[in-house]
Amino acid sequence: MSSVAVLGLGTMGGRAAARLVSHGHEVHGYDPAASASEAAAGAGVHVRNSADEAVRSASLVVLSLPRPEHVLAAANGPLTAAAEGTIVADLSTIDPGTARSCAEVLGGHGISYVDAPVLGRPDRCGHWTLAVGGSEMAISQVRAVLEGTIATSVVRVGDVGAGSVVKVLNNLMFGAINAVTAEALNACRLAGVDPAAFVSTVADS
């Protein structure tokens, strides 16, 4: 099975890390909060003293961080300690511009980045849909580890940034009227996301 690093062991990341452990993966994790680290260690995660240490031996790094600036700081900092060829799957809710910036920074180090935000509630870990933006090759490697463990479906919705577009539109749409609107579909087109892919991904989630 794969060696996976999880950076951010809070509400979403902690559940993802525990689920991966339960499916036989070796999981290394880091979180600055002692309570999150202790809970993850109790679930069998190898908690490390730094993010750099957590990512060094991983073939897949899963991010679950609070805000875009935290993701960008990780891309410019500890994620550069990952080995060339590592895949970074970002479950955080961020904007597409930040996702593209991270992909550019990490690409310079031979590391592939995909934005893979979660469609689903925290307590539904294992049944999430991941709307993923990135290359087919990188996403196929992410799918091999995350589909059937933390998600029932890992769906490619376009290039890097597209996953974040789907997540933001999903949140706005369901928070407002719980229906697919013409405005949401038009926003997809403007952002370079196939409206049909948006509808099917959201419906299946």
Side-chain angles (χ1 to χ4, degrees):
M1 304 298 280
S2 300
S3 176
V4 183
V6 180
L7 302 187
L9 298 168
T11 302
M12 306 296 271
R15 284 176 166 86
R19 184 90 180 174
L20 287 162
V21 169
S22 73
H23 281 72
H25 295 281
E26 179 183 350
V27 180
H28 301 261
Y30 173 75
D31 194 293
S35 58
S37 296
E38 289 168 7
V45 176
H46 301 288
V47 176
R48 300 308 183 194
N49 294 320
S50 69
D52 303 59
E53 185 181 348
V55 306
R56 282 197 185 104
S57 61
S59 56
L60 173 67
V61 179
V62 175
L63 298 185
S64 184
L65 302 176
R67 298 180 58 82
E69 57 263 34
H70 300 130
V71 175
L72 194 56
N76 283 288
L79 288 175
T80 60
E84 187 173 342
T86 300
I87 309 292
V88 174
D90 185 7
L91 275 56
S92 315
T93 298
I94 62 172
D95 60 279
T98 296
R100 295 183 190 111
S101 295
C102 290
E104 182 177 357
V105 168
L106 293 173
H109 295 273
I111 298 166
S112 297
Y113 170 97
V114 301
D115 54 323
V118 174
L119 305 185
R121 301 186 304 275
D123 62 358
R124 294 288 291 165
C125 183
H127 302 278
W128 291 340
T129 293
L130 302 183
V132 192
S135 71
E136 293 277 10
M137 182 181 297
I139 293 172
S140 68
Q141 294 180 60
V142 170
R143 184 179 292 115
V145 178
L146 301 187
E147 194 170 85
T149 54
I150 71 170
T152 55
S153 184
V154 174
V155 183
R156 183 178 189 270
V157 293
D159 296 328
V160 172
S164 299
V165 170
V166 170
K167 173 69 173 182
V168 170
L169 289 176
N170 175 75
N171 287 359
L172 291 172
M173 184 179 69
F174 283 96
I177 57 174
N178 199 31
V180 177
T181 64
E183 289 83 359
L185 297 182
N186 187 51
C188 283
R189 294 186 186 95
L190 292 174
V193 175
D194 181 359
F198 172 73
V199 171
S200 64
T201 301
V202 169
D204 288 344
S205 72

